Amino acid sequence: MIIVLKQQAKKDDITRITEEVKKLGLKTSVVTGSEQTIIGLIGDTTIIDPKKFEVDEAVDHVMRVSEPYKLANREFHPLDTIVDVNGVKIGGGNICYIAGPCSVENKDQILEVARAVKKSGANILRGGAFKPRTSPYAFQGMGEDALNLLLEAKKETGLPICTELMDAEYIPLFNEKVDLVQIGARNMQNYSLLKKVGSEIKKPVLLKRGLSSTYEEWIMAAEYIMANGNPNVILCERGIRTFETYTRNTLDLQAIPVLKRLTHLPIIIDPSHAGGKWWLVESMSKASLVAGADGLMIEVHNDPEKALSDGPQSLRPDKYDILMQDLKKLESIIHHE
Ligand code: PEP
Ligand code: MN
């Protein structure tokens, strides 16, 4: 971080500000030019709010020269993080396939889908139990009953389960029953939830990108979880809001190389919520793997026309099977660094 002083700044101002910086446990380097003085801050500036210095009358402006996150930063952790979801490794060249319905609806549905996606090569089963729906009148999920059905499907197929946590009240239940805890797009900036997920959730976390979040906001959300004690975070791009209305959201594939440059965390793609249309899933899944994604989360339903949520974007098991065969072929020719 550098503090640029106003031209009329005096020696006393420089002394006052450098003393202030030192009190925060940092060192300074003062560069006095013919017109302007710049104070460089040396040390961990992630804990410093630039506004603290911006209010000083001798300060012109403050600039960050390094990112405000430390734990998620590739700079301090050059190797890819590999997250282990109950035996399934994600990241560092390990690709994961998460598949299942948007919502768990009944026993037959989740068992049928679980068997099918397992046969096609998926390695984690998804299924919403607590659903964040835009309308309060829409199906809200089966709650704890859905977790028990997911557990039955896990018992039969051996697939670890992934489902969304919406409320901190359910943390003990999720610690007991869930293998990968999803934080949905709408909760990406629910900081009190993120803090509790960091300190209390003992399982890996799948952090979806907020509907209109920047990369930095998304990484800072991961940083919240990590700074509070849980280092096992997987990022998931699921489409962002743009001016386009034809598709549900716009899939940001650039997020893959950008996030891999900025962080060491695995990043997966959810093409189902991105496009909102089942026929977009195939091409976007392939593009995601080619762009370096560490995995895919795809919605699969045995009867999409009757699905209680997200039917139009769900693949039937036969389509998912064909896609998985192609993805496996692609995987064998893609080299991840
Ligand atoms: C979901 O995965 O079913 C879901 C609600 O996702 P998102 O938070 O990305 O909308
Ligand atoms: Mn969904």
Side-chain angles (χ1 to χ4, degrees):
M1 190 178 288
I2 58 173
I3 302 172
V4 181
L5 302 187
K6 286 184 182 150
Q7 284 195 6
Q8 50 292 17
K10 305 264 176 341
K11 235 179 156 193
D12 282 357
D13 296 317
I14 300 172
T15 312
R16 181 182 69 254
I17 294 166
T18 50
E19 284 307 314
E20 210 48 55
V21 173
K22 282 179 194 154
K23 272 193 222 153
L24 297 169
L26 298 171
K27 294 201 174 89
T28 56
S29 163
V30 181
V31 182
T32 318
S34 55
E35 310 248 306
Q36 224 159 13
T37 299
I38 293 173
I39 304 173
L41 275 56
I42 304 161
D44 180 7
T45 56
T46 50
I47 46 161
I48 295 181
D49 181 357
K51 291 193 186 68
K52 177 173 170 53
F53 296 102
E54 267 161 14
V55 295
D56 191 297
E57 56 184 18
V59 170
D60 188 68
H61 61 280
V62 182
M63 276 167 28
R64 272 199 184 279
V65 288
S66 59
E67 291 84 14
Y69 45 87
K70 192 169 58 172
L71 301 172
N73 200 328
R74 171 84 72 183
E75 211 177 313
F76 308 115
H77 188 300
L79 296 180
D80 285 346
T81 281
I82 299 174
V83 175
D84 188 315
V85 178
N86 206 350
V88 176
K89 293 197 170 24
I90 305 168
N94 303 286
I95 296 180
C96 76
Y97 296 98
I98 306 174
C102 179
S103 304
V104 176
E105 298 171 8
N106 56 62
K107 185 170 167 174
D108 289 347
Q109 173 239 19
I110 191 66
L111 284 179
E112 196 180 322
V113 176
R115 286 180 198 125
V117 298
K118 160 90 184 183
K119 209 161 149 232
S120 301
N123 42 18
I124 297 177
L125 175 67
R126 67 150 285 149
F130 300 89
K131 296 301 302 176
R133 305 304 300 280
T134 305
S135 164
Y137 309 116
F139 177 60
Q140 302 287 307
M142 290 175 67
E144 191 173 350
D145 290 345
L147 296 188
N148 294 331
L149 293 178
L150 284 166
L151 281 177
E152 279 194 46
K154 174 183 174 178
K155 202 167 164 205
E156 192 186 311
T157 59
L159 294 174
I161 54 179
C162 170
T163 193
E164 178 170 350
L165 174 76
M166 282 177 44
D167 199 312
E169 171 190 348
Y170 295 108
I171 288 178
L173 193 65
F174 274 58
N175 271 332
E176 187 194 328
K177 301 189 169 172
V178 177
D179 299 297
L180 176 59
V181 177
Q182 177 171 325
I183 297 299
R186 289 155 193 83
N187 268 322
M188 193 209 81
Q189 287 182 311
N190 181 343
Y191 298 117
S192 59
L193 181 64
L194 296 179
K195 283 190 215 170
K196 287 188 187 135
V197 165
S199 58
E200 295 172 32
I201 285 281
K202 306 296 169 214
K203 306 293 179 70
V205 177
L206 181 76
L207 179 66
K208 287 196 147 193
R209 181 181 187 179
L211 276 70
S212 341
S213 298
T214 63
Y215 297 140
E216 189 167 295
E217 287 164 344
W218 188 13
I219 300 170
M220 290 303 268
E223 188 82 6
Y224 257 92
I225 298 172
M226 299 172 87
N228 281 282
N230 191 338
N232 298 309
V233 180
I234 301 165
L235 302 166
C236 177
E237 156 66 29
R238 43 78 73 210
I240 48 172
R241 277 274 161 91
T242 66
F243 51 81
E244 185 53 71
T245 54
Y246 183 80
T247 48
R248 185 174 184 183
N249 293 289
T250 297
L251 180 59
D252 176 14
L253 285 179
Q254 290 178 150
I256 302 166
V258 172
L259 271 284
K260 282 195 173 280
R261 174 178 281 241
L262 298 177
T263 88
H264 50 86
L265 300 173
I267 171 164
I268 71 163
I269 297 291
D270 169 353
S272 308
H273 291 88
K277 300 181 195 300
W278 67 266
W279 51 269
L280 278 169
V281 172
E282 180 193 337
S283 51
M284 292 301 99
S285 297
K286 291 176 180 173
S288 303
L289 284 200
V290 173
D294 296 301
L296 291 161
M297 173 183 258
I298 295 176
E299 286 187 339
V300 178
H301 197 287
N302 53 343
D303 193 359
E305 277 92 6
K306 298 210 180 74
L308 296 181
S309 59
D310 289 350
Q313 68 195 34
S314 300
L315 288 186
R316 289 177 196 285
D318 57 342
K319 286 249 167 23
Y320 181 70
D321 191 61
I322 296 167
L323 171 61
M324 282 297 283
Q325 290 177 33
D326 286 354
L327 294 176
K328 289 284 171 190
K329 280 184 219 146
L330 253 188
E331 218 190 288
S332 68
I333 56 168
I334 293 168
H335 297 283
H336 290 275
E337 284 173 72

